[in-house]
Amino acid sequence: MTQMMECNERLNIVQAKIAKAANLAQRNAEDVRLMAISKTRSADEIRPLLDTGHRLYGENRVQEAAAKWPALRDAYDDVEVHLVGQLQSNKAEDAVQLFDAIHSLDRASLIKALAKAMDKLDRRVPCFLQVNIGEESQKGGCAIGDIPGLLESARSAGIEVVGLMGVPPSEVNPAPYFALLAKLAKDNDLTGLSMGMSGDFESAIKLGATHVRVGTALFGARS
């Protein structure tokens, strides 16, 4: 019970910050989805947050998610788990089976693999196109100039692209990058914006984020 109370307190704090940021941007807080990033967290660490009623979670790795979420889904109703980490094409079928959305679609070969998996499993999973908004060689994501072509390819393959995802470079002001991603989404008639993490989600919300990814602020420091 104490664990759940602590989780509930942390959740209330984050939700209050979301509400404040949305209000400043003249947006509805209900239009911002809070994704609890549960990567590296055990099922025992996740359950107290599930017990508060929170139902949207994000994972980085297919294998890790496969080890803990099927049992948790059996125990809790209406859980959504999204993939926010890089996806290898050879894991596409596992990802389609496991996740309710994929935020890291970023190349033609992955479009092909996901379309094949969705057809085989008869399951359509909405995707965000990941954009390398900081043009960083070590990060995943497509080049800005590749967005229109990848969107056309995905749609032709029967994949629903619901928005863009991006991660700004670290240790710089993230706001210009959030603004850029928002402009790119608007230019391509997309409404979803997966951007903002524990340290900058309030700025992301002010610039249009629809999905924010928060880990430590919800689960506490890692032991």
Side-chain angles (χ1 to χ4, degrees):
M1 181 61 72
T2 301
Q3 278 184 307
M4 194 185 91
M5 288 173 66
E6 289 175 357
C7 274
N8 204 49
E9 186 176 347
R10 288 193 289 263
L11 179 61
N12 287 338
I13 289 169
V14 172
Q15 287 175 330
K17 290 180 178 180
I18 289 173
K20 183 177 180 181
N23 184 57
L24 287 170
Q26 296 184 310
R27 300 180 61 200
N28 292 322
E30 293 77 19
D31 294 335
V32 182
R33 301 201 68 197
L34 171 60
M35 191 184 313
I37 299 301
S38 49
K39 66 175 184 177
T40 76
R41 304 288 181 171
S42 68
D44 286 343
E45 289 176 285
I46 297 168
R47 282 191 194 96
L49 189 57
L50 280 163
D51 288 337
T52 69
H54 190 72
R55 288 294 181 266
L56 178 59
Y57 295 81
E59 289 283 344
N60 267 35
R61 297 178 184 275
V62 174
Q63 193 170 347
E64 182 188 342
K68 61 193 179 187
W69 278 105
L72 287 170
R73 283 184 188 272
D74 287 343
Y76 295 88
D77 294 331
D78 303 321
V79 173
E80 274 187 60
V81 185
H82 293 196
L83 178 67
V84 296
Q86 293 304 111
L87 177 59
Q88 297 174 344
S89 294
N90 63 357
K91 298 282 188 185
E93 188 172 327
D94 292 335
V96 169
Q97 203 157 27
L98 270 169
F99 296 105
D100 299 291
I102 293 167
H103 292 235
S104 48
L105 181 61
D106 64 355
R107 59 194 187 278
S109 60
L110 185 55
I111 289 172
K112 185 177 179 181
L114 284 171
K116 182 180 177 182
M118 290 182 197
D119 288 342
K120 179 180 177 180
L121 297 171
D122 193 22
R123 184 166 196 261
R124 314 318 292 182
V125 178
C127 294
F128 288 78
L129 192 65
Q130 183 177 355
V131 184
N132 190 342
I133 47 176
E135 299 181 339
E136 298 173 277
S137 59
Q138 77 277 18
K139 278 186 182 172
C142 70
I144 289 170
D146 292 342
I147 294 172
L150 288 173
L151 283 174
E152 185 177 349
S153 295
R155 287 164 178 161
S156 296
I159 296 174
E160 182 189 10
V161 179
V162 294
L164 301 181
M165 186 269 256
V167 181
S170 57
E171 299 178 13
V172 298
N173 178 7
Y177 296 93
F178 293 148
L180 171 61
L181 196 70
K183 181 181 184 302
L184 292 169
K186 184 177 180 181
D187 289 347
N188 288 280
D189 296 319
L190 295 168
T191 56
L193 278 172
S194 176
M195 61 187 194
M197 297 186 286
S198 287
D200 56 23
F201 68 85
E202 291 157 282
S203 174
I205 289 166
K206 291 171 188 174
L207 290 163
T210 60
H211 294 67
V212 294
R213 309 184 293 274
V214 179
T216 304
L218 290 172
F219 289 104
R222 289 181 174 83
S223 56

